[in-house]
Amino acid sequence: MTYFAPLRAESGVPSAGLPVDPLTQWNDAAPGAAAVFTRSQRWLLLAAFALLVAFRLPQAWVHGRFLDEEATVFLAYAWHHSLVDSMLRPFAGYLNLGATVPTALLAMLIRHAGLPLELAPYLTMTAALLAQLVPAALILTGRAAWLDARPAVVAALGIAVLAPATEEVFLNVLHIQFHLALACAAILALDVPRFRRAQIAYGTVLMLAPLCGPAAIMLVPLFALRAAIDRDPGRWRQCVPFVFGAAIQLLLFYGAAPVRAQGVSPVLVASAFTVRLIVLPLFNFGNADTLANAVEAQGGTLLWITAAIGVAVFGLMLAAAARVRDAGLWLALAGLGVAAATFGHGMVLPDPIRVTSPWAGERYQYLPLVLIGWALIALAMRGGRTRLIFAAPCLLMLMAGAARYPAPSPHLASGPSWPTEVAAWRRDHRHPLAVWPKPWTADLSGQTRPCSPLTGHLARSTDPRYCESGWVGSFFRNSEQVRKSGEGGEILH
C-alpha cells in the first residue's frame, strides 16, 4: 500500500504550442496536480467535484432552496431597498459581499427585468456552486510538494466535499465566505505562482475573501508569518491584496454584534475540538452527537477528559507539523487557529455548553475539518515511518464523510417547495414565503417597514426579519422555543 507516496504521470506535462487551458499548471510542470494528472483528467476531477457538491443536497434542486437569511434577510432587504444600499449593508457585524451582491442583483432582475421569481433560488445555488469550485480549482492547478501524488490530490478534493455534518455551507451564497476562506488557506499552502495571470487570480481571491466575512481575516497573520520566515518577496506580494481587503472590512464595516458578545471558556473549546474535530470526522456523527449530549448533561469530569484529549491530540499534531516549515505546518496552524477563534468567540449560542454539539452552527466546523484533513495529507506526504499515522485518519475522514453523504442533516435535507410558495405569493403579495429550514419566512411584500436601532430589548422586537433588530429578536425567540420544546437540530447563527 502506497498511501500518499508520490506517483507521477508523464503525460501530465503540457506540450509546447498547445492552447492555454484554465486547468493547465500555472507555475511549473511539477510538483502538483498538473504533474500527476493530464489536462483532461483534471477537468474530469473538477466535474466530479462539482457533481458531488451539487448532489449533496439533491432535494434543494427539486424544490428550489433558499437557506434562511439568504432570503429572509438579504433578498428581502434588497427587495425593499436600493441596489447600492443592499450591496454595501453590513449585517451581524460585518460586510458579506458573497451574500449581498448576488441577492441585490437578483432582486433588481426580478423587479425590473422580469426574471421569474420561481428561478431565484436556482441562480443563487448556481452562484454558490461556482464559488465552491474555487478551492478545488486551486488544488488542481497549484504547485505544491504535498499534492505531488494522485492519492493526495484526490484525498484533498474528497475531504473538501465530504466533510461530515457541514451541509449548511453547501449551495448558498450566505456562506460563500467559508469557501473563499478555504481558498485563501489553499493559497497559503501552495507555492507562489510564477506566471502573472496566476498571481492576479490569487490576489483577486485574497482581496475578495475578507470582504465576504471575518473567516479569511483570521489567516492574515499566517500569511505575514510565512512571508517573514520564507523571506519570499512573492509571499509579501500576496499579503498586499489580502491586507487591503481585510483593512476595508475592519475599518469601514466590521463592528460589534449583540449576538456575538459572549465568549466560551477554553475548557469548553478544547472539548469541542474533541467532539467536532476528532469524533465527528473519524467515528461518525452519531457518536459525536452522543458524546456532546453526555458532556452537556454531565459536565465535570467528562468535560475535562474530552478537553484533555483535544489538547493532547492536536498538541502532538502541531508538534509534528512544526518539525518542518512546509505546507503541513501552515495548514495545521490555519485549521486549529480558525477552530479556536470561532469556537471561542465567533459562534452565536443560546448556551455556551452547546459549542460541543455538532448540530450547533455546522458551518463553523467546515473550515477546521477540511484544513486539518489537508494538514494530515501534507504530513503524510513527508514520508518516513510516521506516514501511516497521518494517512490513516485521512482515510477514516473520507470513509465517515462518504457514509454520511447520502443522509444529510434532516433540517437541511429538505424543505418547502419554492414554486408553491411563489404561487401563494402571486395570489397575495403579503404571503410570507417559507424557506429552509422551518420556521423562517421571507417578506417580499410591497410594504417597506423601517428598522429600529440595535438597542433596547431586542428579544421583543417586532421589526421584520430583514432588519437586524428583527433578526436578533427572532433568533432569541426561536432559541427559547427550541429550549422549551427540547428539540435538536437547530441552526445557530
Side-chain angles (χ1 to χ4, degrees):
M1 184 176 293
T2 59
Y3 303 108
F4 295 124
L7 175 63
R8 294 183 177 274
E10 294 181 0
S11 58
V13 181
S15 300
L18 290 177
V20 175
D21 180 84
L23 285 185
T24 296
Q25 171 57 265
W26 289 355
N27 307 299
D28 277 326
V36 295
F37 289 108
T38 65
R39 180 186 304 175
S40 59
Q41 287 172 339
R42 283 179 284 123
W43 276 109
L44 287 173
L45 283 171
L46 187 64
F49 184 91
L51 288 174
L52 285 171
V53 170
F55 290 102
R56 183 152 180 182
L57 294 169
Q59 292 299 313
W61 299 102
V62 174
H63 299 297
R65 183 192 79 153
F66 279 115
L67 178 66
D68 193 1
E69 288 101 331
E70 267 193 302
T72 66
V73 172
F74 292 101
L75 179 61
Y77 187 88
W79 190 266
H80 295 280
H81 295 83
S82 69
L83 179 66
V84 175
D85 181 24
S86 302
M87 285 184 173
L88 299 179
R89 176 206 186 194
F91 184 82
Y94 61 91
L95 175 67
N96 184 351
L97 285 182
T100 60
V101 171
T103 52
L105 293 174
L106 187 58
M108 182 189 69
L109 291 173
I110 294 170
R111 300 192 67 178
H112 303 293
L115 179 73
L117 182 58
E118 288 83 354
L119 297 179
Y122 297 101
L123 296 180
T124 54
M125 289 167 61
T126 301
L129 172 60
L130 293 175
Q132 202 159 349
L133 296 182
V134 174
L138 288 170
I139 292 295
L140 289 169
T141 60
R143 181 168 65 117
W146 67 283
L147 296 173
D148 198 24
R150 289 182 175 180
V153 175
V154 173
L157 296 176
I159 287 172
V161 77
L162 295 175
T166 57
E167 292 89 4
E168 191 181 356
V169 303
F170 279 64
L171 301 177
N172 67 86
V173 297
L174 186 65
H175 296 137
I176 282 176
Q177 58 174 304
F178 294 100
H179 304 296
L180 292 185
L182 181 62
C184 292
I187 292 173
L188 176 67
L190 295 172
D191 294 351
V192 176
R194 296 183 180 180
F195 296 161
R196 187 167 185 80
R197 184 177 58 179
Q199 293 171 359
I200 293 173
Y202 281 30
T204 301
V205 171
L206 291 170
M207 186 176 69
L208 287 178
L211 296 175
C212 294
I217 297 177
M218 291 184 279
L219 301 176
V220 170
L222 294 181
F223 270 78
L225 183 60
R226 180 160 198 187
I229 291 176
D230 291 355
R231 298 181 180 179
D232 186 343
R235 295 285 179 195
W236 285 116
R237 286 193 293 271
Q238 287 180 345
C239 288
V240 173
F242 205 15
V243 171
F244 181 70
I248 293 176
Q249 175 75 269
L250 295 174
L251 296 177
L252 300 182
F253 299 102
Y254 194 80
V259 292
R260 301 184 199 277
Q262 61 180 330
V264 179
S265 76
V267 177
L268 278 173
V269 171
S271 180
F273 270 56
T274 297
V275 177
R276 289 177 178 258
L277 306 182
I278 299 176
V279 179
L280 172 61
L282 302 184
F283 304 106
N284 73 52
F285 181 89
N287 289 328
D289 189 39
T290 299
L291 179 57
N293 290 334
V295 170
E296 183 175 351
Q298 300 176 25
T301 302
L302 183 59
L303 173 63
W304 281 95
I305 290 174
T306 54
I309 291 173
V311 170
V313 170
F314 289 112
L316 290 172
M317 177 184 175
L318 195 57
R323 293 176 181 174
V324 181
R325 290 181 295 201
D326 61 3
L329 171 62
W330 302 112
L331 288 168
L333 287 173
L336 297 176
V338 168
T342 53
F343 294 168
H345 296 281
M347 297 180 67
V348 180
L349 300 167
D351 186 342
I353 192 67
R354 295 290 290 161
V355 72
T356 61
S357 172
W359 286 110
E362 290 183 4
R363 66 189 178 279
Y364 294 116
Q365 59 210 23
Y366 179 73
L367 277 175
L369 284 173
V370 176
L371 292 175
I372 289 171
W374 285 3
L376 291 170
I377 294 172
L379 295 177
M381 281 293 290
R382 290 178 179 175
R385 292 176 295 179
T386 60
R387 180 188 302 162
L388 178 59
I389 296 175
F390 301 114
C394 292
L395 181 60
L396 288 175
M397 290 181 70
L398 290 169
M399 292 173 61
R404 187 168 172 81
Y405 181 88
S409 299
H411 61 292
L412 296 170
S414 187
S417 168
W418 181 255
T420 300
E421 292 299 310
V422 173
W425 174 85
R426 292 195 184 282
R427 293 190 295 268
D428 180 1
H429 282 12
R430 294 172 299 178
H431 172 74
L433 294 94
V435 299
W436 298 26
K438 296 179 180 180
W440 309 120
T441 58
D443 176 6
L444 302 187
S445 67
Q447 179 184 4
T448 300
R449 296 167 56 190
C451 298
S452 304
L454 289 174
T455 57
H457 299 285
L458 294 176
R460 295 198 293 269
S461 173
T462 59
D463 289 349
R465 201 161 190 262
Y466 58 77
C467 298
E468 189 164 357
S469 53
W471 173 77
V472 173
S474 65
F475 166 78
F476 283 116
R477 288 193 298 274
N478 183 62
S479 297
E480 180 65 16
Q481 292 170 3
V482 170
R483 186 188 65 79
K484 290 180 178 179
S485 66
E487 295 178 356
E490 70 274 15
I491 292 182
L492 301 177
H493 300 278

